[in-house]
Coordinates of all heavy atoms in Angstrom, one line a residue:
M1494 N 0.8 -1.2 0.0 CA 0.0 0.0 0.0 C 0.9 1.3 0.0 O 0.7 2.1 -0.8 CB -0.9 0.0 1.2 CG -1.9 1.1 1.3 SD -3.1 0.6 2.5 CE -3.8 2.1 2.9
F1495 N 1.8 1.4 1.0 CA 2.7 2.5 1.0 C 4.0 2.0 0.5 O 4.5 0.9 0.8 CB 2.8 3.1 2.4 CG 1.6 3.6 2.9 CD1 0.7 2.9 3.7 CD2 1.2 4.9 2.6 CE1 -0.5 3.4 4.2 CE2 0.0 5.5 3.1 CZ -0.8 4.7 3.9
Q1496 N 4.7 2.9 -0.2 CA 6.0 2.6 -0.7 C 6.9 3.8 -0.6 O 6.4 4.9 -0.7 CB 6.0 2.2 -2.2 CG 5.2 0.9 -2.5 CD 5.1 0.6 -3.9 OE1 5.2 1.4 -4.8 NE2 5.0 -0.7 -4.2
S1497 N 8.2 3.6 -0.5 CA 9.2 4.7 -0.6 C 9.1 5.2 -2.0 O 8.9 4.5 -3.0 CB 10.6 4.2 -0.2 OG 10.6 3.8 1.1
P1498 N 9.5 6.5 -2.2 CA 9.5 7.1 -3.5 C 10.5 6.3 -4.4 O 11.6 6.0 -3.9 CB 9.9 8.5 -3.3 CG 9.8 8.7 -1.8 CD 9.8 7.4 -1.1
P1499 N 10.2 6.0 -5.6 CA 11.1 5.3 -6.5 C 12.3 6.2 -6.9 O 12.1 7.5 -6.9 CB 10.3 5.0 -7.7 CG 9.2 6.0 -7.7 CD 8.9 6.3 -6.3
N1500 N 13.4 5.7 -7.2 CA 14.6 6.4 -7.6 C 15.1 7.4 -6.6 O 15.8 8.4 -7.0 CB 14.3 7.1 -9.0 CG 13.9 6.1 -10.0 OD1 14.3 4.9 -10.1 ND2 12.9 6.5 -10.8
V1501 N 14.8 7.2 -5.3 CA 15.4 8.1 -4.3 C 16.2 7.2 -3.4 O 15.8 6.2 -2.9 CB 14.3 8.8 -3.5 CG1 14.9 9.6 -2.3 CG2 13.4 9.6 -4.3
A1502 N 17.5 7.5 -3.3 CA 18.4 6.7 -2.5 C 18.1 6.8 -1.1 O 17.7 7.8 -0.5 CB 19.9 7.2 -2.7
K1503 N 18.1 5.6 -0.5 CA 17.8 5.5 1.0 C 19.1 5.7 1.7 O 19.9 4.8 2.0 CB 17.3 4.1 1.3 CG 15.9 3.9 0.7 CD 15.3 2.5 1.1 CE 13.9 2.3 0.6 NZ 13.3 1.1 1.1
T1504 N 19.3 7.0 2.1 CA 20.6 7.4 2.7 C 20.6 7.7 4.2 O 21.6 8.0 4.8 CB 21.2 8.6 2.0 OG1 20.2 9.7 2.1 CG2 21.4 8.4 0.5
I1505 N 19.4 7.6 4.7 CA 19.2 7.9 6.2 C 19.0 6.6 6.9 O 18.1 5.8 6.5 CB 18.0 8.9 6.4 CG1 18.1 10.2 5.6 CG2 17.8 9.1 7.9 CD1 19.1 11.1 6.1
Q1506 N 19.7 6.4 8.0 CA 19.5 5.3 8.8 C 18.8 5.7 10.1 O 19.2 6.6 10.8 CB 20.9 4.6 9.2 CG 20.6 3.3 10.1 CD 21.9 2.6 10.3 OE1 22.6 2.2 9.4 NE2 22.3 2.4 11.6
I1507 N 17.7 5.0 10.3 CA 16.9 5.2 11.6 C 16.7 3.8 12.3 O 16.9 2.8 11.7 CB 15.5 5.8 11.3 CG1 14.7 4.8 10.4 CG2 15.6 7.2 10.6 CD1 13.2 5.3 10.2
T1508 N 16.4 3.9 13.5 CA 16.1 2.7 14.3 C 14.7 2.8 14.8 O 14.3 3.8 15.4 CB 17.1 2.6 15.5 OG1 18.4 2.6 15.0 CG2 16.8 1.3 16.3
F1509 N 13.9 1.7 14.6 CA 12.6 1.7 15.0 C 12.4 0.4 15.7 O 12.6 -0.7 15.1 CB 11.6 1.8 13.8 CG 10.1 1.7 14.2 CD1 9.6 2.6 15.1 CD2 9.3 0.7 13.7 CE1 8.2 2.5 15.5 CE2 8.0 0.5 14.0 CZ 7.4 1.5 14.9
E1510 N 12.0 0.4 17.0 CA 11.8 -0.8 17.8 C 13.0 -1.7 17.7 O 12.8 -2.9 17.5 CB 10.5 -1.5 17.4 CG 9.2 -0.6 17.5 CD 8.7 -0.6 18.9 OE1 8.7 -1.6 19.6 OE2 8.3 0.5 19.4
E1511 N 14.2 -1.2 17.9 CA 15.4 -1.9 17.9 C 15.9 -2.5 16.6 O 16.9 -3.2 16.5 CB 15.4 -3.1 18.9 CG 14.7 -2.7 20.3 CD 15.4 -1.5 21.0 OE1 16.6 -1.3 20.8 OE2 14.6 -0.8 21.7
K1512 N 15.2 -2.2 15.5 CA 15.6 -2.6 14.1 C 16.1 -1.4 13.3 O 15.4 -0.3 13.4 CB 14.5 -3.4 13.4 CG 14.3 -4.8 13.9 CD 13.2 -5.5 13.0 CE 13.8 -5.7 11.7 NZ 12.9 -6.5 10.8
T1513 N 17.1 -1.5 12.6 CA 17.6 -0.4 11.8 C 17.0 -0.5 10.3 O 16.8 -1.6 9.8 CB 19.1 -0.3 11.7 OG1 19.6 -1.5 11.1 CG2 19.7 -0.1 13.1
Y1514 N 16.8 0.7 9.8 CA 16.2 0.8 8.4 C 17.0 1.9 7.7 O 17.3 2.9 8.3 CB 14.7 1.2 8.5 CG 13.9 0.1 9.1 CD1 13.6 0.2 10.5 CD2 13.3 -0.9 8.4 CE1 12.8 -0.7 11.1 CE2 12.5 -1.9 9.0 CZ 12.3 -1.8 10.4 OH 11.5 -2.7 11.0
Q1515 N 17.2 1.7 6.4 CA 17.7 2.7 5.5 C 16.5 3.3 4.8 O 15.7 2.6 4.2 CB 18.6 2.1 4.5 CG 19.9 1.6 5.1 CD 20.8 2.7 5.6 OE1 21.3 2.6 6.7 NE2 21.0 3.8 4.8
V1516 N 16.3 4.6 5.0 CA 15.1 5.3 4.4 C 15.6 6.5 3.6 O 16.7 7.0 3.7 CB 14.1 5.7 5.5 CG1 13.6 4.5 6.3 CG2 14.7 6.7 6.4
A1517 N 14.7 6.9 2.7 CA 14.9 8.1 1.9 C 14.9 9.4 2.8 O 14.1 9.4 3.7 CB 13.9 8.2 0.8
P1518 N 15.7 10.3 2.5 CA 15.6 11.6 3.2 C 14.4 12.4 2.7 O 13.7 12.0 1.8 CB 16.9 12.3 2.8 CG 17.2 11.8 1.4 CD 16.7 10.3 1.4
A1519 N 14.2 13.6 3.3 CA 13.1 14.5 2.9 C 11.7 13.8 3.0 O 10.9 14.0 2.1 CB 13.4 15.1 1.5
Q1520 N 11.5 13.1 4.0 CA 10.2 12.6 4.3 C 10.0 12.5 5.8 O 10.9 12.6 6.5 CB 10.0 11.2 3.7 CG 10.9 10.1 4.3 CD 10.6 8.7 3.7 OE1 9.5 8.4 3.3 NE2 11.6 7.9 3.6
T1521 N 8.7 12.4 6.2 CA 8.5 12.4 7.6 C 8.7 11.0 8.2 O 8.8 10.0 7.5 CB 7.0 12.8 7.9 OG1 6.1 11.8 7.4 CG2 6.7 14.2 7.3
V1522 N 8.8 11.0 9.5 CA 9.0 9.7 10.2 C 7.8 8.8 9.9 O 8.0 7.6 9.6 CB 9.2 10.0 11.8 CG1 9.2 8.6 12.5 CG2 10.4 10.8 12.0
A1523 N 6.6 9.3 10.0 CA 5.4 8.5 9.8 C 5.5 7.9 8.4 O 5.2 6.7 8.2 CB 4.2 9.3 10.0
A1524 N 5.8 8.7 7.4 CA 5.9 8.2 6.0 C 7.0 7.2 5.8 O 6.8 6.2 5.2 CB 6.1 9.4 5.0
A1525 N 8.1 7.4 6.5 CA 9.2 6.4 6.4 C 8.8 5.1 7.0 O 9.1 4.0 6.4 CB 10.5 7.0 7.0
L1526 N 8.1 5.1 8.1 CA 7.8 3.9 8.8 C 6.7 3.2 8.0 O 6.7 1.9 7.9 CB 7.3 4.2 10.2 CG 8.4 4.7 11.2 CD1 7.8 5.0 12.5 CD2 9.5 3.7 11.3
M1527 N 5.7 3.9 7.4 CA 4.7 3.3 6.6 C 5.3 2.7 5.4 O 4.9 1.6 4.9 CB 3.6 4.2 6.3 CG 2.7 4.6 7.5 SD 1.2 5.5 7.0 CE 1.9 7.0 6.5
G1528 N 6.3 3.3 4.8 CA 7.0 2.8 3.7 C 7.8 1.5 4.0 O 8.0 0.7 3.1
E1529 N 8.1 1.3 5.2 CA 8.8 0.1 5.6 C 7.8 -1.0 6.1 O 8.2 -2.0 6.7 CB 9.8 0.4 6.7 CG 11.0 1.2 6.2 CD 11.8 0.6 5.1 OE1 11.9 -0.6 5.1 OE2 12.2 1.3 4.2
G1530 N 6.5 -0.7 6.0 CA 5.4 -1.6 6.3 C 4.9 -1.5 7.8 O 4.1 -2.4 8.2
H1531 N 5.3 -0.5 8.5 CA 4.8 -0.3 9.9 C 3.6 0.6 9.9 O 3.7 1.8 9.9 CB 5.9 0.2 10.8 CG 7.0 -0.7 10.9 ND1 7.0 -1.9 11.6 CD2 8.3 -0.7 10.4 CE1 8.1 -2.5 11.6 NE2 8.9 -1.8 10.8
L1532 N 2.4 0.1 9.8 CA 1.2 0.9 9.8 C 0.7 1.2 11.2 O 0.2 2.3 11.5 CB 0.1 0.2 9.0 CG 0.4 -0.1 7.6 CD1 -0.8 -0.7 6.9 CD2 0.9 1.2 6.8
M1533 N 0.9 0.3 12.1 CA 0.4 0.5 13.5 C 1.5 1.3 14.3 O 2.6 0.8 14.4 CB 0.1 -0.8 14.2 CG -0.6 -0.7 15.5 SD 0.4 -0.3 17.0 CE 1.1 -1.9 17.4
L1534 N 1.1 2.5 14.7 CA 2.1 3.3 15.4 C 1.9 3.4 16.9 O 2.8 3.7 17.6 CB 2.2 4.7 14.7 CG 2.6 4.8 13.3 CD1 2.6 6.2 12.8 CD2 3.9 4.1 13.0
R1535 N 0.6 3.2 17.3 CA 0.3 3.3 18.7 C -1.0 2.6 19.0 O -1.6 2.1 18.1 CB 0.3 4.8 19.2 CG -0.9 5.5 18.7 CD -0.9 6.9 19.3 NE -2.2 7.6 19.0 CZ -3.2 7.6 19.9 NH1 -3.1 7.0 21.0 NH2 -4.3 8.3 19.5
K1536 N -1.3 2.6 20.3 CA -2.6 2.0 20.7 C -3.4 3.1 21.4 O -2.8 3.9 22.1 CB -2.5 0.8 21.6 CG -2.0 -0.4 20.9 CD -2.0 -1.6 21.8 CE -1.6 -2.9 21.0 NZ -1.6 -4.1 21.9
S1537 N -4.7 3.1 21.3 CA -5.5 4.0 22.0 C -5.4 3.8 23.5 O -5.5 2.6 24.0 CB -7.0 3.9 21.6 OG -7.8 4.5 22.5
L1538 N -5.2 4.8 24.3 CA -5.1 4.6 25.8 C -6.5 4.3 26.4 O -6.5 3.7 27.4 CB -4.5 5.9 26.4 CG -3.1 6.2 26.1 CD1 -2.7 7.6 26.7 CD2 -2.2 5.1 26.6
V1539 N -7.5 4.6 25.7 CA -8.9 4.4 26.2 C -9.3 3.0 25.8 O -9.7 2.2 26.7 CB -9.8 5.4 25.6 CG1 -11.3 5.1 26.0 CG2 -9.4 6.8 26.0
S1540 N -9.3 2.6 24.5 CA -9.8 1.3 24.1 C -8.8 0.3 23.9 O -9.1 -0.9 23.8 CB -10.6 1.5 22.8 OG -9.7 1.9 21.8
G1541 N -7.5 0.7 23.7 CA -6.5 -0.3 23.4 C -6.4 -0.7 21.9 O -5.6 -1.5 21.6
E1542 N -7.3 -0.1 21.1 CA -7.3 -0.4 19.7 C -6.0 0.2 19.1 O -5.5 1.2 19.5 CB -8.5 0.3 19.0 CG -9.8 -0.3 19.4 CD -11.0 0.3 18.6 OE1 -10.7 1.0 17.6 OE2 -12.1 0.1 19.1
T1543 N -5.5 -0.5 18.0 CA -4.3 0.0 17.3 C -4.7 1.2 16.5 O -5.8 1.3 16.0 CB -3.8 -1.1 16.4 OG1 -4.7 -1.6 15.5 CG2 -3.3 -2.3 17.3
R1544 N -3.7 2.1 16.4 CA -4.0 3.3 15.6 C -2.8 3.5 14.6 O -1.7 3.1 14.8 CB -4.0 4.5 16.6 CG -4.8 4.4 17.8 CD -6.3 4.3 17.4 NE -6.8 5.5 16.8 CZ -8.0 5.6 16.3 NH1 -8.9 4.6 16.5 NH2 -8.4 6.7 15.8
A1545 N -3.2 4.1 13.5 CA -2.2 4.4 12.4 C -2.3 5.9 12.1 O -3.3 6.5 12.4 CB -2.5 3.6 11.2
A1546 N -1.2 6.4 11.6 CA -1.2 7.8 11.1 C -2.5 8.0 10.2 O -2.7 7.2 9.3 CB 0.0 8.1 10.4
F1547 N -3.2 9.0 10.4 CA -4.4 9.2 9.7 C -4.4 10.5 8.8 O -4.5 10.4 7.6 CB -5.6 9.2 10.7 CG -7.0 9.4 10.0 CD1 -7.5 8.4 9.2 CD2 -7.7 10.6 10.2 CE1 -8.7 8.6 8.6 CE2 -8.9 10.7 9.6 CZ -9.4 9.7 8.8
C1548 N -4.3 11.6 9.5 CA -4.4 12.9 8.7 C -3.1 13.3 8.0 O -3.1 14.0 7.0 CB -4.8 14.0 9.7 SG -3.6 14.5 10.8
M1549 N -2.0 12.9 8.6 CA -0.6 13.2 8.0 C -0.4 14.7 7.9 O 0.4 15.2 7.1 CB -0.4 12.6 6.7 CG -0.4 11.1 6.7 SD 0.9 10.4 7.7 CE 2.3 10.5 6.6
M1550 N -1.1 15.5 8.8 CA -0.9 17.0 8.8 C -1.1 17.6 10.2 O -1.4 18.7 10.3 CB -1.8 17.6 7.8 CG -3.3 17.4 8.0 SD -4.2 18.2 6.6 CE -5.9 18.1 7.3
G1551 N -0.8 16.8 11.2 CA -0.7 17.3 12.5 C -2.0 17.6 13.3 O -2.0 18.3 14.2
I1552 N -3.1 17.0 12.9 CA -4.4 17.2 13.5 C -4.9 16.1 14.4 O -5.4 16.3 15.5 CB -5.4 17.6 12.4 CG1 -5.0 18.9 11.7 CG2 -6.8 17.7 13.0 CD1 -5.9 19.3 10.6
C1553 N -4.7 14.9 14.0 CA -5.4 13.8 14.7 C -4.6 13.2 15.8 O -5.2 12.5 16.7 CB -5.7 12.6 13.7 SG -4.3 11.7 13.1
F1554 N -3.3 13.3 15.9 CA -2.5 12.8 16.9 C -2.4 11.3 17.0 O -2.1 10.7 18.0 CB -2.8 13.4 18.3 CG -2.5 14.9 18.4 CD1 -3.3 15.8 17.9 CD2 -1.3 15.3 19.1 CE1 -3.0 17.2 18.0 CE2 -1.0 16.6 19.2 CZ -1.8 17.6 18.7
D1555 N -2.8 10.6 15.9 CA -2.7 9.2 15.9 C -1.3 8.7 15.5 O -1.1 7.5 15.5 CB -3.8 8.6 14.9 CG -5.1 8.5 15.5 OD1 -5.2 8.4 16.8 OD2 -6.1 8.4 14.8
C1556 N -0.4 9.5 15.3 CA 0.9 9.2 14.9 C 2.0 9.4 16.0 O 3.2 9.4 15.8 CB 1.3 9.9 13.7 SG 1.5 11.7 14.0
L1557 N 1.5 9.6 17.3 CA 2.5 9.9 18.3 C 3.4 8.7 18.6 O 3.1 7.6 18.7 CB 1.7 10.1 19.7 CG 0.8 11.4 19.7 CD1 0.2 11.5 21.0 CD2 1.6 12.6 19.3
L1558 N 4.7 9.1 18.6 CA 5.8 8.2 18.9 C 6.8 8.8 19.8 O 6.8 10.0 20.0 CB 6.5 7.8 17.6 CG 5.7 7.0 16.6 CD1 6.5 7.0 15.2 CD2 5.5 5.6 17.0
E1559 N 7.6 8.0 20.4 CA 8.8 8.5 21.2 C 9.9 8.6 20.2 O 10.3 7.6 19.6 CB 9.1 7.5 22.3 CG 10.3 8.0 23.1 CD 10.7 7.1 24.2 OE1 9.9 6.8 25.1 OE2 11.9 6.6 24.2
I1560 N 10.5 9.7 20.0 CA 11.6 10.0 19.1 C 12.8 10.5 19.9 O 12.7 11.6 20.5 CB 11.2 10.9 18.0 CG1 10.0 10.3 17.2 CG2 12.4 11.2 17.0 CD1 9.5 11.2 16.1
D1561 N 13.9 9.8 19.8 CA 15.1 10.2 20.5 C 14.8 10.5 22.0 O 15.3 11.5 22.5 CB 15.8 11.4 19.8 CG 16.3 11.0 18.5 OD1 16.6 9.8 18.3 OD2 16.5 11.9 17.6
G1562 N 14.0 9.7 22.6 CA 13.7 9.8 24.0 C 12.6 10.8 24.4 O 12.3 10.9 25.6
Q1563 N 12.1 11.5 23.4 CA 11.0 12.5 23.7 C 9.7 11.9 23.3 O 9.4 11.6 22.1 CB 11.3 13.7 22.8 CG 12.5 14.5 23.1 CD 12.5 15.1 24.5 OE1 11.5 15.8 24.9 NE2 13.5 14.9 25.3
P1564 N 8.8 11.7 24.3 CA 7.5 11.0 24.0 C 6.6 12.0 23.4 O 6.8 13.2 23.4 CB 7.0 10.7 25.4 CG 7.7 11.6 26.4 CD 9.0 11.9 25.7
N1565 N 5.5 11.4 22.8 CA 4.4 12.2 22.2 C 4.8 13.1 21.1 O 4.3 14.3 21.0 CB 3.7 13.0 23.3 CG 3.2 12.1 24.5 OD1 2.7 11.1 24.2 ND2 3.4 12.6 25.7
Q1566 N 5.7 12.6 20.2 CA 6.1 13.4 19.1 C 5.2 13.1 17.9 O 4.9 11.9 17.6 CB 7.5 13.1 18.7 CG 8.5 13.4 19.8 CD 8.6 14.9 20.1 OE1 8.9 15.7 19.3 NE2 8.2 15.2 21.4
Q1567 N 4.7 14.1 17.2 CA 3.8 13.9 16.0 C 4.7 13.5 14.9 O 5.3 14.3 14.2 CB 3.1 15.1 15.7 CG 2.0 15.4 16.7 CD 1.2 16.7 16.3 OE1 1.8 17.8 16.5 NE2 0.1 16.5 15.7
S1568 N 4.8 12.2 14.6 CA 5.7 11.6 13.6 C 5.4 12.1 12.2 O 6.2 12.0 11.3 CB 5.8 10.1 13.7 OG 4.5 9.5 13.4
C1569 N 4.2 12.5 12.0 CA 3.8 13.0 10.6 C 4.3 14.4 10.3 O 4.2 14.9 9.2 CB 2.3 13.0 10.4 SG 1.4 14.2 11.3
M1570 N 4.8 15.1 11.4 CA 5.3 16.5 11.2 C 6.8 16.6 11.4 O 7.3 17.7 11.3 CB 4.6 17.3 12.3 CG 3.1 17.3 12.2 SD 2.4 17.9 10.7 CE 2.8 19.6 10.8
I1571 N 7.5 15.5 11.6 CA 9.0 15.5 11.8 C 9.7 14.8 10.7 O 9.4 13.6 10.4 CB 9.2 14.8 13.2 CG1 8.5 15.6 14.3 CG2 10.7 14.8 13.5 CD1 8.6 15.0 15.7
Q1572 N 10.7 15.4 10.2 CA 11.5 14.8 9.1 C 12.5 13.9 9.6 O 13.0 14.1 10.7 CB 12.2 16.0 8.3 CG 12.9 15.5 7.0 CD 13.3 16.6 6.2 OE1 12.7 17.7 6.1 NE2 14.4 16.4 5.5
V1573 N 12.7 12.8 8.9 CA 13.7 11.8 9.4 C 15.1 12.4 9.4 O 15.4 13.3 8.6 CB 13.7 10.5 8.5 CG1 12.5 9.7 8.7 CG2 13.9 10.9 7.0
R1574 N 15.8 12.0 10.4 CA 17.2 12.5 10.5 C 18.1 11.3 10.8 O 17.7 10.3 11.4 CB 17.4 13.4 11.7 CG 16.7 14.8 11.6 CD 17.0 15.7 12.8 NE 16.8 15.0 14.1 CZ 15.7 15.0 14.7 NH1 14.6 15.6 14.3 NH2 15.6 14.4 15.9
E1575 N 19.3 11.4 10.3 CA 20.3 10.3 10.5 C 20.4 9.9 12.0 O 20.5 10.8 12.9 CB 21.7 10.7 10.0 CG 22.7 9.7 10.2 CD 22.5 8.4 9.3 OE1 21.9 8.5 8.2 OE2 23.0 7.3 9.7
G1576 N 20.3 8.6 12.3 CA 20.5 8.1 13.6 C 19.3 8.2 14.6 O 19.4 7.9 15.8
M1577 N 18.1 8.6 14.1 CA 16.9 8.7 14.9 C 16.6 7.4 15.6 O 16.7 6.3 14.9 CB 15.7 9.1 14.1 CG 15.5 10.6 14.0 SD 13.9 10.8 13.1 CE 13.6 12.5 13.7
N1578 N 16.2 7.4 16.8 CA 15.8 6.2 17.6 C 14.3 6.4 17.9 O 14.0 7.3 18.6 CB 16.6 6.1 18.9 CG 16.3 4.8 19.6 OD1 15.6 3.9 19.0 ND2 16.8 4.7 20.8
I1579 N 13.5 5.5 17.4 CA 12.1 5.7 17.4 C 11.4 4.5 18.1 O 11.8 3.4 17.8 CB 11.5 5.9 16.0 CG1 12.2 7.0 15.3 CG2 10.0 6.1 16.0 CD1 12.2 6.9 13.7
Q1580 N 10.5 4.8 19.0 CA 9.8 3.7 19.7 C 8.3 4.0 19.7 O 7.9 5.1 19.7 CB 10.3 3.7 21.2 CG 11.7 3.5 21.4 CD 12.2 2.1 21.1 OE1 11.5 1.1 21.3 NE2 13.4 1.9 20.6
R1581 N 7.6 2.9 19.7 CA 6.1 3.0 19.9 C 5.9 3.3 21.4 O 6.7 3.0 22.2 CB 5.4 1.7 19.5 CG 5.3 1.5 18.1 CD 4.5 0.2 17.8 NE 4.3 0.0 16.4 CZ 4.9 -1.1 15.8 NH1 5.6 -2.0 16.5 NH2 4.7 -1.3 14.5
Q1582 N 4.7 3.9 21.7 CA 4.3 4.2 23.0 C 3.1 3.2 23.3 O 1.9 3.6 23.1 CB 3.8 5.6 23.2 CG 4.9 6.6 22.9 CD 4.5 8.0 23.1 OE1 5.3 8.9 23.3 NE2 3.3 8.3 22.9
L1583 N 3.3 2.1 23.8 CA 2.3 1.1 23.9 C 1.8 0.9 25.3 O 0.7 0.3 25.6 CB 2.7 -0.3 23.3 CG 3.0 -0.2 21.8 CD1 3.4 -1.6 21.4 CD2 1.8 0.2 21.0
K1584 N 2.5 1.4 26.3 CA 2.1 1.1 27.7 C 1.1 2.1 28.1 O 1.2 3.3 27.9 CB 3.4 1.2 28.6 CG 4.4 0.1 28.3 CD 5.6 0.3 29.2 CE 6.7 -0.6 28.8 NZ 8.0 -0.1 29.1
K1585 N 0.1 1.6 28.8 CA -0.9 2.5 29.3 C -0.3 3.6 30.3 O 0.5 3.3 31.1 CB -2.0 1.7 30.1 CG -3.2 2.5 30.5 CD -4.3 1.6 30.9 CE -5.5 2.5 31.1 NZ -6.8 1.9 30.9
G1586 N -0.7 4.8 30.1 CA -0.2 5.9 30.9 C 1.0 6.5 30.4 O 1.5 7.5 31.0
E1587 N 1.5 6.1 29.2 CA 2.7 6.7 28.7 C 2.5 8.0 28.0 O 3.4 8.8 27.9 CB 3.4 5.8 27.7 CG 4.4 4.8 28.3 CD 5.2 4.1 27.2 OE1 4.7 3.8 26.1 OE2 6.4 3.9 27.5
C1588 N 1.3 8.3 27.7 CA 1.0 9.6 27.0 C 1.0 10.7 28.1 O 0.3 10.6 29.1 CB -0.4 9.5 26.3 SG -0.8 11.0 25.4
A1589 N 1.8 11.7 27.9 CA 1.9 12.8 28.9 C 0.8 13.7 28.8 O 0.2 13.9 27.7 CB 3.3 13.5 28.7
Ligands
LIG2361 S1 -1.2 11.6 11.4 FE1 -2.6 13.0 12.3 S2 -1.3 14.2 13.6 FE2 0.1 12.9 12.6

């Protein structure tokens, strides 16, 4: 369903959930993760249902991730950077 842009070199290395990925630059964290097949980014704190990035423009907050130790980052609004360490926030009460 989602793919990395064709003919764009994957020159940025990120780590997601302890696995490393080479991704294309000039894209958001959410886009890069979806391009690698990671659609589920978090779970609802209320219902426990899995959530995926939805609006991709900073409105729905369904893309919250911990990025470089900072929780509750809107991954659809943050560009990938070399060496990023990204984690899901799956434990109840982790949302600040
Ligand atoms: S996908 Fe909606 S705020 Fe990020």
